[in-house]
Amino acid sequence: MSHRSYLFSLRIGHALRECLAEGYSFGAFKLDLLAGITVGIIAIPLAMALAIASGVPPQYGLYTAVIAGFLIALTGGSRYSISGPTAAFVVILYPVAQSYGLAGLLLATILSGVMLIIMAAMRFGRFIEYIPEAVTLGFTSGIAVVIATLQMKDVFGLPIDKLSQHYLEKLQQLSLAMPELHWPSLLVAAVTLAVMWLWPKLKLPLPPHLPAIVIATALALALAHFGLEMDTIGSRFSYLLPDGSQGQGIPAVLPELTWPWLQAGPDGQALQFSTQMVKDLLAAAFAMAMLGAIESLLCAVVLDGMTGRRHSANSELLGQGIGNIVAPFLGGFTATAALARSAANVRAGAQSPIAGMIHALVVLLALLVLAPVLAYLPMAAMAALLLVVAWNMSEAPKAVHLLKTAPRNDIIIFLICFGCTVLFDMVIAISCGMVIAAFFFVKQVADMTRVADISHNRKYLTEPLPEGWKAFRISGPLFFAAADRVFGELSLKLKQQQGAILVMDAVTLMDAGGLSAFTKLVSLAEKQGIHLLVTDLSFQPLKTLAKAKVQPLAGILSFYSTLPEALNSLPGKNIDPQGEAVGL
């Protein structure tokens, strides 16, 4: 890539600039306005629900959708992506919020934003294609299971103050509390799920999230009228205004600009810095950055397929980094592109990133105007909403198809990533998945490297070889995982032979491991008095041997350009037996 194109791939606001350069009309703006309003309506309850699931009050989810959603649309590289809080982050954010409070969560978000910008500067956007599908499907399915488990407390209205950070202990807590389930909460959750399932069948333009929440809230108010109270956003969350007054639910004010580390820690007090805290936050920030990069770029790829457009991967990472650095100063936590909202944006007719900016303004308007109403939203309905998000995120049909049809290695990778995500965390899951996938890949490639005896193959040899001579054809890369095995097989087949021809036309690569194994074979041949004739070397192995200064040895090692030249050098022929036809 040239220097100019490198800068081009990293320019801020790549997607918006491209749309404006193509000519942005009033008609396009009207389509963006409609799409932005539609997605904004979807984002309002989701942003609050995801904030609650992440362990912080709901208004911080709205702040994230407003600040990060606007900035990433403005500065990113994908035309149609809608960014904000996403379900994928819940498994990372919840433990951080529990251990370090809101302040720790915001600090980790800033660190992840810096890492995203570094990824963009190093042009890591293209490397998303190197992550196997079994890995991404495994950890996303695992995240979906964890999110669904976290919602059980509110779906059943269980009297649990705080869920454990360990999955098996969570299950134990939930099972022990199940006899005390609150049936009005369960009824509201069930009605929410029913509306979410049935509403699309009506084929109305209104997204199902809004009627589901409205009907669930009306049902909760009706039950409360008969004395069947349940948790709502207003009853569970409170806030302090600058004048010292306290309110319930969500404050109907703009987020304040403040230093993230001055926000509340896990005990409500200012965060106390320590080496261990920084170490833990760096690990969490790296996980946030990696997941944010994966989610945002996968989302952009899907949107490209839906629209026929192309995104700038590195500009998208740059925009994600900017959004995640700035948002914490206004109360926003980790954000990335959300596939469900982005796909809804495309279906609603979006033409440019302006739709994403309008979506953020719609959420801001809801915060300022509807805050008193939002306090009545029942927690059971919010939890049910996240159950739907978790189901969609799990891609269960795709996972089942993989388990039924994929090769055994991919199934193993999927199950390991899934299990590690559920039982431990996503960092361990992705690390294990990538390492195991790499090992399987190396093994598969190594198994492709073979050595075949062609001494009696008339396709290669038109005349019989002299007594005590054999010919072998090596095919596949000679690298560390394959070379020792291949040359070990050769050494066994060369016993009590006078010489052998090694045809290496199908050897595409030789690394340091392959070079070491080759020199061992030459040493063995020298000890046993065996003459090796190497032919048909391709460019890379020839370059490797030349760089290592491997030279012909009289009566031991000879090199020839072609097999016929090597055959003519055999006993009874007149070609130079030292093989000077090929210079190394």
Side-chain angles (χ1 to χ4, degrees), residues 8 11 13-23 77 79 310:
F8 178 84
R11 66 177 185 172
H14 172 87
L16 182 60
R17 291 186 188 193
E18 207 172 45
C19 290
L20 295 177
E22 292 173 1
R79 295 184 181 220
R310 288 184 62 84

Side-chain angles (χ1 to χ4, degrees), residues 379-449:
M379 297 303 300
M382 305 299 282
L385 196 64
L386 284 183
L387 284 181
V388 176
V389 172
W391 171 257
N392 292 332
M393 181 184 179
S394 71
E395 295 189 274
K398 198 172 181 180
V400 171
H401 183 263
L402 183 143
L403 291 172
K404 288 181 177 179
T405 62
R408 182 172 62 93
N409 289 350
D410 287 325
I411 294 173
I412 292 172
I413 294 168
F414 170 81
L415 293 175
I416 288 173
C417 287
F418 177 82
C420 287
T421 302
V422 172
L423 297 177
F424 304 108
D425 62 51
M426 198 203 70
V427 178
I428 294 176
I430 293 180
S431 301
C432 289
M434 290 299 293
V435 169
I436 294 170
F439 276 128
F440 280 147
F441 177 74
V442 168
K443 183 180 183 304
Q444 287 173 333
V445 174
D447 289 343
M448 293 169 62
T449 305

Side-chain angles (χ1 to χ4, degrees), residues 1 12 95 154 160 237 258 292 344 351 388 446 451 459 480 491 510:
M1 180 182 287
I12 295 176
D154 287 326
I160 300 174
F237 299 100
T258 184
Q351 300 295 303
V388 176
V451 56
K459 177 182 176 182
F480 63 92
S491 64
M510 178 183 284

Side-chain angles (χ1 to χ4, degrees), residues 16 81 122 166 247 281 309 357 402 480:
L16 182 60
S81 292
M122 296 180 72
H166 302 289
L281 288 181
R309 295 283 188 174
M357 291 184 268
L402 183 143
F480 63 92

Side-chain angles (χ1 to χ4, degrees), residues 64-66 68-70 72-73 80-86 296 316 320 335-338 341-342 356 359:
T64 304
V66 172
F70 187 92
I72 294 171
Y80 309 104
S81 292
I82 300 294
S83 295
T86 60
S296 61
E316 180 65 8
Q320 294 287 338
T336 190
R341 276 163 273 172
S342 301
H359 131 271

